[in-house]
Amino acid sequence: MMRDYSTFSFWLEDLGESLTPRPPLASSADVDVAILGGGYSGLWTAYYLLLHEPTLRVAVVEKEIVGFGASGRNGGWCSPKFPLTAGALEKRFGAESARAQLLAMRAAVVEVGRVCAEETIDAQFHSGGILTLARGEHQVPGIHSTYAAYERLGLADRYQLLSREEATERIRVTDVHGGLYTPDGASLHPARLVRGLARAVEARGGVIYEQTPVTDFRPGSLVTAGGELRAKRGIVLAGEVYLTRFPQLHRALLPAYSLISLTEPLTAAQWSQIGWQGGENVASTRNTVVYLTKTADGRILFGSRGAPYAFGSKITDKQDIHEATVKMIQRSVVEWFPSLAGIRFTHAWGGPVGMPRDWMPAVRFDAGSRIGSIMGYTGQGVSTSNLCGRLLAGLITGRQTGLEKLPLAQRRSPNWEREPLRWLVVRYMQGAYLRIDEAAEAGQPKPIDARLAEFLGRH
Ligand SMILES: Cc1cc2nc3c(=O)[nH]c(=O)nc-3n(C[C@H](O)[C@H](O)[C@H](O)COP(=O)(O)OP(=O)(O)OC[C@H]3O[C@@H](n4cnc5c(N)ncnc54)[C@H](O)[C@@H]3O)c2cc1C
């Protein structure tokens, strides 16, 4: 029976277009490039392949529908932030590479906006910037050390440290002690972007098969129940966390669940109490991430972690929603904005994101097997996927993009541990980070195992 795809996120429901799948692959076919995955990664790769070599035969194979994965469900942050902090990037790859990676992220945000305009994708792209708030005195040092890392890398010109008053002028949130603002960053409608991108790919001659699970892959071919897609120039694995369902990639990523709850549209009176006229993407520096977006129709989207890690890296629709976390998120909205007590929440949804063992996304193209892959955004793939798709399209066709030397290029992350160690450590870490956050918020000393957790979680 066909799933009702509109139930997987507010964004898919809000599209106002038919989600009837495109026809599946019905028989074997020959193409130049065959791509697994109809999310941003697969579609950006297809887009840039066709942009630069319009005669290429490019096919995208999607198990469900375009935008079924995280690309149709995310928080809409199109951000210059990278999964690793500026300081961690600098430590791991040196100042020059860290700077290049962060500049490329900044450029990716601009490029997403540019393509939306060029291809008339009405993704509600809004360049409001990113505002990181220190909620509580304990979060102030984090903001200062982030700014210091940008200063060392010569990137601080686009960042502004804000006093409590300056932060509060932008948005009125409880317990704010300061902030860090950058104008680089946008919010967008994730599903409009992914569905619009699919149409742009088709308009350039690409073919998209939906309801077509790839059951196996090998050099030069993607295997499906309907037939084989044979590809002369290469295959691309762009299934993000779902790639872990292939035995050979089972430990390449770890599924971590992310969850969002959405309020009803606020009234003008409610908005005037909160401010937030700039529509910045807002977050705090909590370990257990929280982030907020103001939607185009005047709702507050509040995102956080989702269901705890499930043994064996299990991924099921049931894990998308975790009731205790939904309640925690809804309580947090009122803690942040007490004037919203009694606000109605209309939607909650979630999904898995792909965590690489070393927190670094990886784009690879093996010239021998001609297998390309993009994976491991740690839940920060909206802008990063544009960068990765551009890079991979260049690697496949041999066209220089200037991105080849970035730290994420031509690399592979180490595998995760085998079970049951994986489950034991990940569940411990998820609990420990939450206890560290809760102790800090209650003004209590760090839990006695905080150093152990921070050691295990270093990357
Ligand atoms: C709740 C949530 C909030 C998020 N918020 C943000 C945010 O605000 N900002 C940000 O930058 N990032 C965010 N992310 C992460 C971001 O959405 C992802 O990093 C990004 O969408 C990944 O794109 P992708 O194309 O690589 O993967 P996906 O969008 O997951 O696409 C992969 C596709 O491959 C298909 N597929 C899988 N296996 C097969 C197979 N065997 N055969 C055929 N097809 C297959 C899937 O059905 C899926 O459609 C969030 C993610 C979630 C879940």
Side-chain angles (χ1 to χ4, degrees):
M1 205 172 57
M2 180 87 68
R3 296 158 118 174
D4 179 358
Y5 290 112
S6 71
T7 62
F8 282 86
S9 74
F10 163 74
W11 306 118
L12 289 168
E13 177 193 303
D14 183 59
L15 275 173
E17 68 181 43
S18 164
L19 297 177
T20 306
R22 294 165 171 86
L25 179 70
S27 59
S28 295
D30 291 291
V31 293
D32 293 310
V33 183
I35 300 175
L36 177 162
Y40 300 142
S41 299
L43 293 167
W44 280 123
T45 307
Y47 179 78
Y48 288 106
L49 282 168
L50 291 162
L51 185 70
H52 294 293
E53 278 200 38
T55 57
L56 274 183
R57 294 166 305 163
V58 177
V60 177
V61 189
E62 166 56 48
K63 180 170 182 277
E64 307 281 350
I65 58 163
V66 161
F68 170 80
S71 301
R73 309 185 193 194
N74 62 70
W77 276 51
C78 184
S79 167
K81 279 183 157 181
F82 191 69
L84 282 186
T85 63
L89 265 176
E90 181 189 16
K91 207 159 142 196
R92 287 258 296 271
F93 300 100
E96 201 181 317
S97 295
R99 182 181 152 79
Q101 182 64 64
L102 293 171
L103 285 173
M105 291 300 297
R106 212 184 257 180
V109 175
V110 176
E111 174 67 1
V112 172
R114 191 195 65 76
V115 176
C116 286
E118 172 132 348
E119 300 291 344
T120 54
I121 300 172
D122 182 12
Q124 300 173 345
F125 189 90
H126 170 73
S127 299
I130 311 279
L131 175 60
T132 310
L133 296 174
R135 276 196 83 232
E137 193 61 46
H138 63 283
Q139 292 193 358
V140 173
I143 284 194
H144 284 271
S145 66
T146 303
Y147 182 77
Y150 289 129
E151 266 190 325
R152 284 197 304 279
L153 298 175
L155 296 171
D157 58 319
R158 304 289 291 172
Y159 288 85
Q160 190 189 351
L161 276 171
L162 306 180
S163 65
R164 178 201 308 253
E165 292 70 30
E166 287 166 330
T168 305
E169 253 172 52
R170 289 184 176 271
I171 184 168
R172 282 185 281 286
V173 171
T174 52
D175 207 17
V176 167
H177 289 246
L180 183 64
Y181 173 72
T182 176
D184 301 325
S187 60
L188 52 73
H189 189 304
R192 284 187 179 209
L193 174 61
V194 72
R195 308 278 300 180
L197 201 50
R199 285 190 283 270
V201 164
E202 288 173 320
R204 288 176 185 276
V207 178
I208 300 174
Y209 300 102
E210 294 183 323
Q211 304 266 285
T212 307
V214 172
T215 52
D216 198 5
F217 63 88
R218 52 181 87 108
S221 113
L222 293 180
V223 180
T224 79
E228 203 177 336
L229 257 189
R230 293 176 293 260
K232 253 195 343 221
R233 302 277 292 272
I235 66 162
V236 170
L237 307 176
E240 186 54 344
V241 70
Y242 304 101
L243 292 175
T244 58
R245 287 174 170 159
F246 291 108
Q248 57 274 53
L249 294 171
H250 182 63
R251 290 193 291 134
L253 296 171
L254 181 114
Y257 273 81
S258 187
L259 192 53
I260 285 172
S261 191
L262 189 71
T263 68
E264 62 189 335
L266 271 57
T267 63
Q270 285 169 322
W271 279 122
S272 73
Q273 303 230 22
I274 288 171
W276 206 359
Q277 294 306 310
E280 303 89 339
N281 294 337
V282 177
S284 72
T285 67
R286 217 169 187 262
N287 290 309
T288 316
V289 178
V290 293
Y291 58 92
L292 295 82
T293 321
K294 181 177 175 180
T295 65
D297 65 347
R299 301 161 185 265
I300 294 179
L301 175 155
F302 199 103
S304 186
R305 67 173 206 286
Y309 171 72
F311 191 87
S313 295
K314 202 165 67 173
I315 301 175
T316 58
D317 292 349
K318 237 174 97 188
Q319 291 158 270
D320 288 348
I321 291 290
H322 183 248
E323 284 305 336
T325 310
V326 174
K327 288 202 178 83
M328 180 279 288
I329 290 178
Q330 298 182 349
R331 269 197 316 275
S332 300
V333 171
V334 179
E335 273 162 31
W336 280 55
F337 308 105
S339 62
L340 294 186
I343 187 96
R344 212 164 56 86
F345 291 86
T346 57
H347 296 77
W349 71 93
V353 302
M355 308 299 288
R357 183 68 178 80
D358 59 0
W359 252 246
M360 268 296 290
V363 179
R364 272 177 75 78
F365 184 66
D366 182 88
S369 65
R370 303 201 69 80
I371 297 179
S373 59
I374 295 182
M375 64 178 85
Y377 298 117
T378 78
Q380 300 199 43
V382 175
S383 50
T384 324
S385 58
N386 171 275
L387 175 62
C388 294
R390 251 184 301 141
L391 168 60
L392 185 55
L395 293 173
I396 293 170
T397 54
R399 197 180 59 85
Q400 292 291 310
T401 53
L403 307 172
E404 296 78 11
K405 293 217 167 77
L406 291 179
L408 55 60
Q410 292 295 32
R411 67 181 304 281
R412 175 182 285 141
S413 294
N415 272 345
W416 283 88
E417 286 72 7
R418 294 179 194 281
E419 297 289 23
L421 186 60
R422 187 159 81 232
W423 183 87
L424 284 169
V425 174
V426 174
R427 286 294 280 262
Y428 165 72
M429 294 295 296
Q430 289 179 328
Y433 275 132
L434 189 58
R435 284 186 288 108
I436 293 171
D437 283 333
E438 286 173 351
E441 282 155 12
Q444 292 165 356
K446 281 188 175 182
I448 45 168
D449 59 342
R451 288 183 76 160
L452 171 67
E454 281 158 5
F455 172 76
L456 289 172
R458 76 197 187 290
H459 39 255

